[in-house]
């Protein structure tokens, strides 16, 4: 049995080691910075009178590297030029038939975070192009309304740079966002108190320029896998002798996550074109993985995911459920915590990952409270067990629907995520909680509830780690090792940690004496 | 190697037996899974006990089907006190002690209607106390505890748990009800665990789940050194019971009726570990001492 257990644990690791070492050089490193393939796709119909489409190409910087792919556009005259630090690309042509223009490039991006201290001095305007400091038609930085706002926010002439930026940023961040597609200038955004990323960025630029901090709009794409039409705009401020990014829509203060691709600087449109023909466009974004260790894999899950035939989530559930179960097993048998249901914490963890920890916790707790309160009248009326469970199940279903509706209306939580909570398990857990109160005490019931949540949070923390998710998808053979660890755990007969507390109460010396004899 | 390291480093020092080791090395090792039913199903336990002529509380009736509840209840009306319990229950859950005064049934001080009693029996049959399996309800005589025990605390029924390994008694503990435990004697429900000297049958340390005490918290009676009545009979009974069951590691719960003496209440295949606290001694240390297993 021992040999079986240990070989179960060790063989997958040897196999994984073999796959890693036999992999080609480029496949190494499990997780590095992200790499994406981005494709612009433009569709032009009936352009007999001629079309002219201009867009931007992203450029290399310390946080992004771009590699242009061979473009395969038909019958187009392509021009590229550099204007004020931007790289423009223009397609020209005419065609009676439909034309599709595609442009692909691979980008490697990484996240960035700047530290801004309170002592940071006001930037010197020398050497800065005046266009980053003066007002424009849509960035009305000298307007009296901006001045009044400045005063309202408590910004004075001796406010520090950090203070100015922080207050302006927070003000713009709090403005509700909308998907207005009309051009929104800074003042309209201020007045409407609802605007798009462009409007918000213009307002933030105007507020910064008002305080003599050079600022500019920048634009690009948020790299989520899939296809979309929306580009994104954010702000860069010139402080500490460099351009520092701020996104007051998605709350990135002096930082950018790795999935932001900067494409152009200035208040521009990603696509400009002449008129007189039908035009459609799409940005396709695909993450490129160099770490799937295809060689000698027994089961290539990435292939299935990348083909789009099966979504990633069910795979993650299937692969990580065993890991979660092992974690719960360790908590129960080695630490000695008590939980409601054996694998409930794992299922809860998955639901929490989907919903967000705070939201999930509130939703789950409210259900448990609601059902426990219900069980008192049901018990008092002497409702038989199975019918009682039916009534509780219905209540949980109704409650979930109501919550979904609230989440849908408020946009606080993705309503779909509510469905990640298995209703039957919620009902059982709530019923167990109520029974524990009845048979034991509220204190004991809450204590086990707390322990359940503790284990859930641990599972959540481990299972949501991207490195673990990638590892399990890349090397599914690790499941055999988990089974081996499970067997090992099944033969582990040491005292549980909680038993030390339980039995540590009496005079151990005396016992040792009687034991030694 | 790994497991050796763990067992020597973590569990040996004070001879305490933990849940993992109890399950792995004693229960799984010494008992066959298919024999657990003789302990888990109290009806089977009673059949074995009665079949071997071992003393246990008299069974008035067993109810298997909902349809029989009312008819059976009619036949019980000659008795003034009864105990209703689920055959497959655990931890004392689902046990109802009923007494009749002036044609009204009471549970403790609370009056209970026939409807409530029927509903309780129906719940037992539906398996509410046995993890969803359908169950049987056992109705049996109520024990009248020996005066020695009622002198310590007059309410509820105290019982004596004896743990045996290979038919040898390892440890014994008196389980005393308190007002907090609501008449039940289970340790995790607020009852007291009192260690017993196996040779003499005298009470030793009293553990209330948190600390050691000398007096009963409700009656104030001093507990230490009280002599359990009929101790040698009780020990003999426990060994006879262990020999009648195909279980080699088990806990036997025995009550002392003031008229009938020691009676076997139930047999437990997973006896709790709190007995170590009451005796201030680890079960592993005892096992080595007795070389019992």
């Amino acid at each position: 049995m021992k040999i079986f257990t240990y070989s179960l644990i060790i063989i997958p690791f040897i196999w994984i080691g073999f796959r890693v070492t036999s992999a080609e050089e480029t496949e190494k490193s499990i997780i590095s910075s992200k790499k994406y393939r981005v494709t612009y796709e433009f569709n032009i119909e009936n352009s007999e009178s001629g079309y002219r489409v201009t867009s931007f190409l992203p450029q290399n910087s310390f946080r992004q590297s771009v590699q242009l792919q061979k473009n395969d556009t038909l019958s187009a005259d392509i021009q590229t030029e550099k204007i004020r630090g931007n790289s423009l690309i223009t397609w020209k042509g005419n065609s009676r038939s439909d034309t599709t223009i595609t442009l692909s490039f691979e980008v490697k991006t990484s996240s960035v975070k700047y530290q801004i201290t309170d002592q940071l001095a006001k930037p010197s305007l020398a050497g800065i192009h005046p266009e980053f400091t003066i007002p424009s038609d849509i960035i009305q930085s000298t307007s009296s309304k901006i001045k009044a706002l400045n005063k309202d926010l408590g910004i004075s002439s001796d406010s520090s740079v950090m203070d100015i930026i922080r207050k302006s940023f927070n003000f713009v961040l709090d403005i509700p966002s909308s998907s207005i597609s009309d051009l929104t200038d800074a003042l309209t955004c201020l007045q409407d108190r609802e605007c798009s990323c462009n409007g918000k960025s213009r307002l933030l630029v105007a507020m910064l320029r008002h305080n003599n901090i050079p600022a500019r709009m920048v634009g690009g794409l948020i790299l989520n896998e899939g296809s979309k039409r929306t580009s994104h705009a954010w702000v860069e401020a010139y402080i500490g002798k460099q351009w520092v990014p701020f996104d007051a829509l998605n709350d990135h203060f002096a930082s950018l996550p790795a999935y932001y691709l900067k494409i152009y600087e200035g208040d521009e449109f990603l696509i400009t074109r002449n008129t007189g023909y039908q035009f459609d466009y799409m940005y396709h974004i695909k993450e490129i993985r160099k770490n799937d260790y295809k060689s000698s894999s027994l089961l290539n899950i990435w292939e299935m995911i990348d083909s789009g035939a099966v979504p990633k989530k069910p795979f993650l559930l299937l692969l990580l459920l065993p890991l979660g179960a092992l974690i719960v097993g360790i908590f129960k048998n080695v630490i000695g915590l008590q939980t409601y249901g054996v694998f409930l914490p794992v299922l809860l963890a998955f639901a929490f990952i989907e919903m967000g920890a705070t939201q999930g916790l509130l939703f789950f707790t409210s259900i448990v409270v609601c059902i426990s309160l219900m069980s008192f009248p049901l018990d008092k009326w002497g409702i038989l067990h199975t019918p009682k469970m039916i009534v509780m199940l219905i209540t949980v279903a109704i409650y979930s629907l109501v919550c979904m509706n609230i989440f849908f209306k408020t946009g606080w939580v993705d309503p779909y995520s509510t469905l990640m909570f298995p209703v039957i398990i919620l009902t059982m857990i709530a019923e167990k909680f109520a029974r524990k109160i009845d048979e034991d005490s509220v204190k004991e019931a809450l204590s086990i509830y707390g322990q359940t949540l503790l284990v859930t949070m641990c599972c959540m923390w481990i299972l949501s780690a991207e490195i673990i998710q990638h590892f399990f998808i890349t090397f599914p053979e690790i499941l055999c090792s988990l089974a081996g660890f499970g067997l090992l755990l099944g033969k582990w007969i040491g005292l549980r940690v909680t038993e030390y507390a339980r039995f540590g109460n009496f005079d151990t010396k005396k016992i040792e004496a009687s034991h030694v004899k | 190697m790994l497991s050796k390291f763990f067992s020597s480093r973590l569990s040996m020092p004070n001879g305490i037996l933990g849940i993992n080791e109890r399950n792995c090395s004693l229960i799984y090792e010494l008992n066959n899974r298919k024999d657990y039913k003789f302990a888990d199903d109290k009806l089977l336990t009673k059949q074995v006990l009665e079949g071997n002529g071992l003393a246990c509380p008299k069974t008035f009736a067993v109810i298997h089907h909902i349809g029989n509840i009312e008819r059976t209840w009619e036949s019980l009306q000659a008795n003034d006190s009864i105990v209703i319990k689920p055959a497959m229950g655990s931890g004392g859950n689902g046990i109802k002690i009923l007494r009749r005064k002036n044609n009204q049934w009471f549970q403790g001080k609370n009056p209970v209607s026939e409807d409530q009693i029927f509903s309780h029996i129906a719940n037992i049959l539906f398996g509410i106390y046995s993890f969803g399996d359908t169950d049987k309800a056992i109705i049996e005589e109520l024990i009248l505890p020996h005066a020695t025990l009622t002198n310590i605390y007059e309410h509820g029924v105290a019982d004596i748990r004896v743990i045996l390994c290979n038919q040898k008694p390892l440890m014994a503990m008196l389980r005393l009800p308190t007002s907090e435990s609501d008449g039940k004697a289970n340790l995790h429900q607020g009852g007291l665990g009192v260690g017993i000297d196996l040779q003499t049958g005298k009470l030793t340390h009293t553990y209330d789940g948190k600390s050691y005490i000398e007096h009963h918290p409700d009656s104030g009676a001093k507990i230490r050194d009280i002599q359990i009545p009929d101790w040698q009979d009780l020990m003999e009974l426990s060994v006879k019971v262990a020999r009648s069951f195909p279980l080699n590691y088990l806990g036997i719960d025995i009550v002392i009726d003031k008229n009938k003496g020691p009676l076997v209440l139930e047999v437990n295949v997973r006896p709790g570990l709190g007995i170590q606290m009451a005796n201030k001694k680890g079960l592993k240390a005892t096992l080595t001492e007795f070389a019992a297993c």
Side-chain angles (χ1 to χ4, degrees):
Chain A
M1 201 227 82
K2 265 192 183 154
I3 296 168
F4 177 70
T5 305
Y6 286 119
S7 47
L8 209 53
I9 293 173
I10 292 161
I11 289 172
F13 278 105
I14 296 175
W15 184 248
I16 290 169
F18 167 72
R19 281 178 62 188
V20 172
T21 48
S22 69
E24 290 163 39
E25 203 58 34
T26 51
E27 288 187 11
K28 283 188 180 163
S29 94
I30 299 283
I31 269 195
S32 62
S33 51
K34 299 249 184 178
K35 202 165 177 185
Y36 301 88
R37 178 194 296 273
V38 181
T39 307
Y40 297 166
E41 185 187 322
F42 307 136
N43 287 298
I44 296 159
E45 282 177 44
N46 301 322
S47 61
E48 281 167 64
S49 55
Y51 65 82
R52 182 193 163 90
V53 178
T54 303
S55 187
F56 294 92
L57 288 176
Q59 301 192 61
N60 289 321
S61 74
F62 73 95
R63 66 166 288 273
Q64 62 186 41
S65 70
V66 183
Q67 200 178 8
L68 211 58
Q69 303 293 293
K70 208 173 75 182
N71 69 72
D72 41 3
T73 312
L74 296 164
S75 67
D77 182 14
I78 303 169
Q79 276 179 3
T80 54
E81 55 185 325
K82 296 240 171 190
I83 299 177
R84 270 182 295 164
N86 287 329
S87 176
L88 278 75
I89 179 162
T90 304
W91 293 265
K92 275 191 273 188
N94 54 47
S95 172
R96 203 167 295 171
S97 59
D98 299 349
T99 307
T100 300
I101 300 171
T102 57
L103 174 77
S104 298
F105 47 87
E106 282 186 12
V107 289
K108 207 169 145 186
T109 53
S110 52
S111 59
V112 64
K113 176 143 190 70
Y114 293 84
Q115 296 296 328
I116 306 176
T117 58
D118 286 331
Q119 287 76 39
L120 187 72
K122 283 216 174 177
S124 130
L125 299 182
I128 287 294
H129 198 284
E131 70 165 316
F132 301 130
T133 52
I134 57 169
S136 73
D137 292 347
I138 47 177
I139 300 177
Q140 304 95 326
S141 58
T142 49
S143 153
S144 57
K145 285 179 184 159
I146 299 284
K147 194 174 178 181
L149 171 64
N150 220 29
K151 209 177 151 191
D152 285 349
L153 294 178
I155 300 172
S156 67
S157 53
D158 32 82
S159 295
S160 71
V161 171
M162 178 61 171
D163 198 32
I164 295 167
I165 297 180
R166 194 28 107 183
K167 281 174 173 161
S168 309
F169 181 88
N170 287 346
F171 175 78
V172 179
L173 183 65
D174 289 342
I175 297 175
S177 59
S178 73
S179 48
I180 303 163
S181 54
D182 295 345
L183 193 142
T184 318
D185 63 65
L187 287 186
T188 312
C189 177
L190 178 60
Q191 196 180 318
D192 293 354
R193 291 292 156 92
E194 191 180 16
C195 42
S196 62
C197 59
N198 289 297
K200 280 187 162 207
S201 299
R202 289 188 188 106
L203 178 59
L204 182 57
V205 170
M207 292 167 79
L208 296 176
R209 285 187 189 172
H210 182 86
N211 289 294
N212 289 325
I213 296 170
R216 67 184 179 194
M217 307 258 299
V218 292
L221 288 172
I222 293 181
L223 301 172
N224 297 324
E225 267 194 291
S227 300
K228 61 179 174 182
R229 283 198 176 78
T230 44
S231 56
H232 189 54
W234 61 95
V235 173
E236 284 183 347
Y238 190 76
I239 45 178
K241 295 194 177 123
Q242 53 190 338
W243 290 100
V244 177
F246 294 89
D247 182 351
L249 183 82
N250 297 330
D251 195 7
H252 301 298
F253 186 87
S255 66
L256 279 187
Y259 52 86
Y260 270 54
L261 174 67
K262 180 175 153 184
I263 301 180
Y264 59 86
E265 292 164 359
D267 196 351
E268 309 279 357
F269 296 98
L270 187 45
I271 303 169
T272 45
R273 64 181 183 95
N274 59 346
T275 52
Y277 50 91
Q278 298 245 325
F279 181 80
D280 195 12
Y281 68 99
M282 193 67 89
Y283 309 116
H284 303 286
I285 297 153
K286 199 165 157 16
E287 198 177 332
I288 303 167
R289 275 177 293 269
K290 286 282 182 190
N291 55 356
D292 45 7
Y293 295 93
K294 276 191 275 301
S295 58
S296 349
S297 70
L298 304 171
L299 184 67
N300 194 339
I301 295 178
W302 283 122
E303 194 186 352
M304 285 190 267
I305 295 173
D306 288 343
S307 74
V310 194
K312 198 166 155 191
K313 243 178 232 166
F315 278 117
L316 281 180
L317 195 70
L318 217 52
L319 290 164
L320 294 181
L321 214 53
L323 176 66
L326 186 66
I327 296 168
V328 175
I330 290 169
F331 268 109
K332 286 177 95 83
N333 274 25
V334 179
I335 314 253
L337 292 187
Q338 286 178 282
T339 60
Y340 290 116
V342 180
F343 296 129
L344 180 95
V346 199
L347 295 172
L348 274 185
F350 273 105
F352 281 17
I353 290 172
E354 202 62 27
M355 196 181 233
T358 322
Q359 292 92 326
L361 208 64
L362 281 175
F363 178 67
F364 176 63
T365 307
S366 64
I367 282 191
V368 169
V369 170
C370 163
I371 294 299
S372 328
L373 290 178
M374 244 180 86
S375 76
F376 292 114
L378 289 177
D379 284 345
K380 206 177 146 197
W381 299 332
I383 305 290
L384 289 175
H385 181 62
T386 310
K388 187 174 92 176
M389 292 299 284
I390 296 171
V391 176
M392 288 179 164
L393 184 70
I394 295 170
T395 315
V396 173
I398 294 173
Y399 185 82
S400 303
L401 285 172
V402 170
C403 284
M404 269 177 96
N405 191 42
I406 295 171
F407 297 153
F408 174 70
K409 293 256 165 72
T410 59
W412 185 50
V413 185
D414 174 13
Y416 176 76
S417 64
T418 317
L419 295 176
M420 288 298 287
F421 282 93
V423 172
I424 289 188
I425 289 178
L426 278 181
T427 312
M428 277 162 51
I429 214 68
E431 201 269 341
K432 276 185 181 174
F433 181 78
R435 197 193 287 186
K436 196 83 201 164
I437 292 179
D438 193 35
E439 287 173 0
D440 226 311
S441 65
V442 179
K443 203 176 137 195
E444 182 66 17
L446 281 177
S447 155
I448 298 180
Y449 180 70
Q451 294 174 55
T452 306
L453 288 184
L454 183 74
V455 177
T456 301
M457 288 300 167
C458 265
C459 281
M460 183 184 161
W461 180 63
I462 294 170
L463 300 186
S464 63
E466 197 170 22
I467 188 156
I468 287 177
Q469 297 185 350
H470 274 240
F471 187 84
F472 272 70
I473 292 179
T474 312
F475 303 112
E477 50 269 51
I478 191 73
L479 290 187
C480 296
S481 289
L482 292 188
F485 281 118
L487 288 177
L488 209 58
L489 187 65
K491 277 288 173 189
W492 188 75
I493 54 168
L495 280 187
R496 298 176 182 179
V497 174
T498 49
E499 285 177 328
Y500 280 95
R502 181 182 171 195
F503 297 119
N505 207 352
F506 59 88
D507 189 8
T508 46
K509 270 183 201 149
K510 202 167 152 188
I511 286 142
E512 267 163 23
S514 77
H515 179 54
V516 173
K517 273 209 300 195
Chain B
M1 198 187 84
L2 205 63
S3 52
K4 227 175 221 169
F5 169 79
F6 277 132
S7 57
S8 63
R9 292 289 297 179
L10 291 178
S11 52
M12 282 307 273
N14 49 16
I16 290 288
L17 184 73
I19 291 183
N20 291 331
E21 188 166 15
R22 179 198 70 181
N23 291 348
C24 209
S25 311
L26 293 170
I27 298 180
Y28 300 164
E29 193 76 13
L30 295 170
N31 299 332
N32 284 323
R33 192 69 189 82
K34 68 174 170 58
D35 296 327
Y36 287 13
K37 58 176 182 280
F38 293 109
D40 291 342
D41 185 338
K42 293 185 181 93
L43 196 59
L44 270 182
T45 310
K46 289 199 112 172
Q47 283 165 1
V48 174
L49 292 172
E50 283 162 0
N52 286 281
L54 299 166
C56 61
K58 196 180 164 207
T59 310
F60 293 145
V62 179
I63 302 177
H64 296 265
H65 305 290
I66 299 240
N68 293 341
I69 296 178
E70 278 192 60
R71 202 181 327 146
T72 314
W73 182 250
E74 302 285 308
S75 71
L76 292 168
Q77 296 311 309
N79 305 294
D80 277 337
S81 59
I82 55 166
V83 178
I84 303 174
K85 61 184 185 187
M88 311 275 269
S90 66
N93 296 323
I95 297 178
K96 247 188 172 52
I97 296 168
L98 299 173
R99 290 189 182 82
R100 186 165 53 188
K101 280 173 215 153
N102 306 328
N103 252 347
Q104 167 68 50
W105 287 95
F106 285 88
Q107 183 183 8
K109 282 172 190 143
N110 307 317
V112 182
S113 71
E114 285 199 342
D115 274 352
Q116 281 171 314
I117 296 170
F118 293 170
S119 174
H120 180 71
I121 296 173
N123 267 339
I124 291 177
L125 300 185
F126 270 105
I128 187 168
Y129 301 106
S130 53
F131 305 106
D133 295 334
T134 53
D135 202 354
K136 294 146 283 194
I138 299 175
I139 297 167
E140 62 182 22
E141 70 172 315
L142 178 66
I143 282 115
L144 300 170
H146 194 278
T148 311
L149 301 175
T150 49
N151 283 345
I152 304 177
Y153 183 58
E154 58 178 328
H155 304 289
V157 180
D159 68 3
I160 290 151
R161 154 78 51 92
V162 187
I163 292 183
L164 297 94
C165 188
N166 290 334
Q167 293 84 47
K168 277 185 199 165
L170 288 182
M171 252 186 208
M173 161 176 76
L174 172 71
R175 302 190 299 178
L176 279 173
T178 62
S179 58
E180 194 192 332
S181 74
D182 193 24
K184 293 171 186 170
N186 295 65
L187 273 188
H188 73 268
Q189 284 168 327
L192 304 179
V194 190
I196 305 175
D197 185 307
L198 274 190
Q199 303 305 318
T200 62
K202 275 188 178 163
L203 297 180
T204 58
H205 321 282
T206 305
Y207 187 65
D208 70 357
K210 291 183 195 79
S211 55
Y212 290 97
I213 52 176
E214 287 295 322
H215 304 274
H216 192 281
D218 301 308
S219 68
K222 186 172 178 292
I223 297 171
R224 189 180 288 273
D225 287 337
I226 291 177
Q227 174 69 48
I228 299 285
D230 304 330
W231 181 247
Q232 291 314 321
D233 294 350
L234 194 148
M235 279 284 104
E236 272 169 38
L237 178 63
S238 74
V239 173
K240 276 184 197 159
V241 171
R243 283 184 186 146
S244 317
F245 283 82
L247 300 163
N248 293 315
Y249 181 80
L250 76 173
I252 301 172
D253 294 347
I254 298 173
V255 285
I256 307 175
D257 190 88
K258 66 175 168 192
N259 303 317
K260 300 185 179 177
L263 302 175
V264 179
L265 208 54
E266 56 185 81
V267 170
N268 204 315
V269 79
R270 304 171 197 82
L273 298 166
I275 196 168
Q276 301 176 108
M277 298 301 294
N279 284 285
K280 285 199 182 180
K281 191 167 194 176
L283 271 168
K284 271 176 81 175
T286 317
L287 281 170
T288 348
E289 226 173 275
F290 286 22
C293 291

